[in-house]
Amino acid sequence: MKVELHNLTKKFAGGARGKDTVTAVDNLSLEIPDGKLVGLLGPSGCGKSTTLFMICGLQKPTAGKIFFGEDDVTGLPPEARGVGVVFQNYALYPHLTVRQNILFPLQNLKGKDKLSKSEMLRRAEEAARLVQIDGLMDRRPNELSGGQQQRVAIARAMVKMPRVLLLDEPLSNLDARLRLQTREEIRRIQRRTGITTVFVTHDQEEAMSISDIIVVMKEGVVQQTGKPQDVYDNPVNLFVAKFLGTPPINVFEGRISSGKLVMGEDAVLNVSGAQDCDVIVGIRPEGFIPDENGALRCTLTGVEVMGRDKSVIFTSPCSKAPSIRAVVNAESVVDTSSHEVRFTLRPVKVLLFDKITEKRLECELSQVK
Ligand code: ATP
């Protein structure tokens, strides 16, 4: 089921007397192709949950429309939209067994949607098998691990065979290992069922790893939409560049001067297609190659060996950051007895931004010969 959001806006009356309006979502348009998993991503308060609540019908947009396929569902209540929802606090009914928890949404169906008891049981078994908890049907929630409880919540959302699955930070209550496992599971279930899914998270790594498409939001406004790798490689502005990637992108001051990118006194790359100006230079941690003849000179503060690769930690007069982190190949040689470390830069890992607007500058970078 394709989902389309057309110019969605949501304003809340805030403040003590409801006088200060908060624009939680501002003119958001988005097309979610049938069968895809879309990650809505952004810092706390950027409007992710409000967007999800409007898709599921729990909140009414101030303006704009929502389509499921050809159907305009903007005015429909949640139960008429055919959505399955898993919230951050997915509270299961503690006194009911896993089977009864999954059956619950089916028992509430009315009129023509009402199912026979055997059909309800068949569907509950099928949903449980899908999330691999069919062996635990007679247990109660307190007899399950966090990850198993999460899977029951997903089975409960899936049992009505929703047209669209909506997940609001569904992994935030799990520990790191379970998070990883469960996110892989969500991906597997989504691929197998082909249900169009919207996944809300503030965790960029989580969104990047499971989404077909990510939507990065800031203060209610969509900043960029695209495949995770494309958005990482080609962020439209500094906000998106900083939001994606661990360790995060390193930010420096620099300038374009006569076809060269200059950082401090060092001409570090050739630039074509841009006029002379001051710029913000973003360099991904994997963009630094230690090289004793490299053009970029920095002050070495430490090296951390991490097995597969190494972190070189340094400072630079062009950066206000107390420490900058480069992730380099474990075999790279760095002279730890020296105070200076020099780097050659990988041009594709260096991004230039306008100093005022912070928008990405379209230009070609190449190594200085
Ligand atoms: P988080 O990751 O912290 O859940 P979010 O990106 O999901 O954040 P929303 O919950 O969508 O953000 O909130 C967006 C903005 O709208 C915030 O500034 C929030 O304070 C405001 N907001 C949300 N719900 C209401 C409400 N019912 N009344 C007034 N303001 C609200």
Side-chain angles (χ1 to χ4, degrees), residues 289-292 310 312 328-336 341-342:
I289 307 166
D291 174 358
E292 58 185 17
K310 244 186 227 181
V312 181
V328 303
N329 202 302
E331 285 81 47
S332 305
V333 179
V334 178
D335 178 5
T336 48
V341 60
R342 297 177 73 147

Side-chain angles (χ1 to χ4, degrees), residues 10-15 20 22-25 41-53 59 88 168-169 200-202 217 220:
K10 178 68 187 176
K11 294 185 188 220
F12 290 108
D20 310 320
V22 180
T23 305
V25 176
L41 177 64
S44 179
C46 72
K48 312 176 290 286
S49 299
T50 305
T51 304
L52 196 87
F53 291 164
Q59 265 163 9
Q88 182 173 352
D168 188 8
E169 303 256 8
V200 161
T201 178
H202 63 273
M217 294 180 69

Side-chain angles (χ1 to χ4, degrees), residues 290-346:
D291 174 358
E292 58 185 17
N293 300 313
L296 179 66
R297 291 170 298 165
C298 301
T299 306
L300 183 67
T301 54
V303 174
E304 287 174 8
V305 179
M306 298 180 298
R308 201 187 40 179
D309 39 40
K310 244 186 227 181
S311 279
V312 181
I313 301 154
F314 55 95
T315 58
S316 159
C318 309
S319 169
K320 294 191 187 80
S323 74
I324 303 160
R325 193 171 278 265
V327 177
V328 303
N329 202 302
E331 285 81 47
S332 305
V333 179
V334 178
D335 178 5
T336 48
S337 66
S338 171
H339 287 305
E340 186 182 75
V341 60
R342 297 177 73 147
F343 297 103
T344 296
L345 300 177
R346 285 182 222 277

